[in-house]
Amino acid sequence: MERREHEDNEDNDAMTHEQWQRQVTDALGMFGWCWMHARRSIGKAGKWTTAVNIVGWPDLLCWHPTRGLLAIELKVKPDRLRAAQRDVLASLRQAGVQTLVAYPEGAQSLVDALSRPRSNPLCKQCCGRVQK
């Protein structure tokens, strides 16, 4: 079980959540990780919602043939973890899943966590990314 949080970051006004997610998913693909993201959509009440049955579910669920499962919650300032997100991450850790709260300012730590290279040829099939 691993737990990493990068909440001691500096302001990064230029980075949006979508841009940060794209950078992270690109890095996941480079290092042989497959990943799943539940997309947000406008719900019945006209508010943004994610179609999962667990409030606080992390942005990305990732898996690697030798590194196991990793749940990543992505944040950009001024966003902070909500209580429900903390609870879900704690529950996942108790189940043996590695968790990571990743801010753009902690990008190097994220790369370090992902970069133990080992190609997964099946990843082309599961997430549609060609591994390098």
Side-chain angles (χ1 to χ4, degrees), residues 78-98:
D79 295 340
R80 305 293 266 172
L81 278 181
R82 296 184 322 266
Q85 292 171 319
R86 285 186 204 281
D87 292 346
V88 169
L89 292 175
S91 179
L92 288 168
R93 281 192 301 278
Q94 287 175 342
V97 176
Q98 301 173 73

Side-chain angles (χ1 to χ4, degrees), residues 2-44:
E2 270 181 63
R3 177 183 177 192
R4 296 186 183 113
E5 292 191 22
H6 302 287
E7 294 192 41
D8 56 336
N9 50 23
E10 300 171 18
D11 284 70
N12 187 353
D13 296 336
M15 180 76 64
T16 67
H17 190 274
E18 291 76 19
Q19 291 168 329
W20 178 224
Q21 180 172 307
R22 182 63 186 180
Q23 287 184 12
V24 171
T25 57
D26 285 349
L28 286 163
M30 280 191 332
F31 295 117
W33 290 82
C34 294
W35 54 272
M36 190 280 303
H37 168 69
R39 296 180 196 267
R40 293 177 51 113
S41 62
I42 300 287
K44 291 179 182 178

